[in-house]
Amino acid sequence: MTPRPQSLASLLALGILVAALGLLALFATMPFVHVNELGKAIAERRTELLELRNENARESELRKENRMLAAAGQDAKLLLLKGETTGIAGANLQKMMSGLVLANGGTASSFQILPAKVDGNLMRIPMSLSISVDIDGLRDIIHGLETGMPLIFIDDISIHAERDDFRAPDPHHLGPLSVTLQVSGFAHKNGAS
């Protein structure tokens, strides 16, 4: 039994109609998919915009603070190590660190000025030092470095307890500690001011 040509044509037309309706449905849903993608992109951009606005608001606060510091007479030269050459600036760094350690009850076992490095328009002068100090003295030394002038940066710190096994530990006193610090300060390049 062979199918009639009219029913075959009807099936073919029905198939074409279903395919056309499927394509139309696909085209009809495309804008909704596109709108959904746009909504996600807008949400991401809003988050990014909020972050940029926060940064922008903070920038104006920093500018105000900088103007206040400049008006108060803060001189940029106070932030740098003093010295005509990097060698003198390094010696001043060593003298400053030695005084800070002694003032806070510590003793220094070694100081070593490391080779200076060019950092933009300045010279970075690093130094390594080993000290023995109790926990309170170490706290005061670090506080002095963080808040003092010129700016001195702590690049690395290593702390070990010097234990005396023959003595009972004092729960109220931690020390002495063996501390190795690497610090650095900045100075003008030789001949620059």
Side-chain angles (χ1 to χ4, degrees), residues 33-51:
V33 171
H34 187 64
V35 166
N36 187 28
E37 290 175 3
L38 286 175
K40 289 178 183 177
I42 287 171
E44 290 174 6
R45 298 290 187 212
R46 280 187 182 153
T47 303
E48 188 177 325
L49 180 62
L50 183 61
E51 290 173 2

Side-chain angles (χ1 to χ4, degrees), residues 9-77:
S10 303
L11 286 175
L12 184 61
L14 184 62
I16 292 173
L17 180 64
V18 168
L21 287 175
L23 282 174
L24 286 174
L26 181 66
F27 286 130
T29 59
M30 291 297 282
F32 295 108
V33 171
H34 187 64
V35 166
N36 187 28
E37 290 175 3
L38 286 175
K40 289 178 183 177
I42 287 171
E44 290 174 6
R45 298 290 187 212
R46 280 187 182 153
T47 303
E48 188 177 325
L49 180 62
L50 183 61
E51 290 173 2
L52 290 172
R53 283 183 179 162
N54 289 338
E55 285 181 23
N56 198 13
R58 186 170 180 271
E59 181 180 350
S60 65
E61 291 172 13
L62 290 174
R63 288 183 188 274
K64 286 178 189 175
E65 186 178 331
N66 285 342
R67 283 193 296 270
M68 288 178 6
L69 287 174
Q74 288 284 356
D75 189 2
K77 290 183 181 182

Side-chain angles (χ1 to χ4, degrees), residues 56-127:
N56 198 13
R58 186 170 180 271
E59 181 180 350
S60 65
E61 291 172 13
L62 290 174
R63 288 183 188 274
K64 286 178 189 175
E65 186 178 331
N66 285 342
R67 283 193 296 270
M68 288 178 6
L69 287 174
Q74 288 284 356
D75 189 2
K77 290 183 181 182
L78 295 176
L79 303 175
L80 301 176
L81 294 168
K82 294 179 183 174
E84 297 289 322
T85 65
T86 55
I88 295 172
N92 286 334
L93 175 61
Q94 181 176 344
K95 180 180 175 184
M96 187 184 90
M97 289 302 300
S98 177
L100 188 60
V101 169
L102 290 174
N104 291 292
T107 57
S109 57
S110 72
F111 287 98
Q112 181 182 8
I113 301 294
L114 303 171
K117 297 176 183 171
V118 175
D119 192 342
N121 293 330
L122 301 172
M123 293 297 291
R124 184 181 192 98
I125 301 173
M127 181 176 79

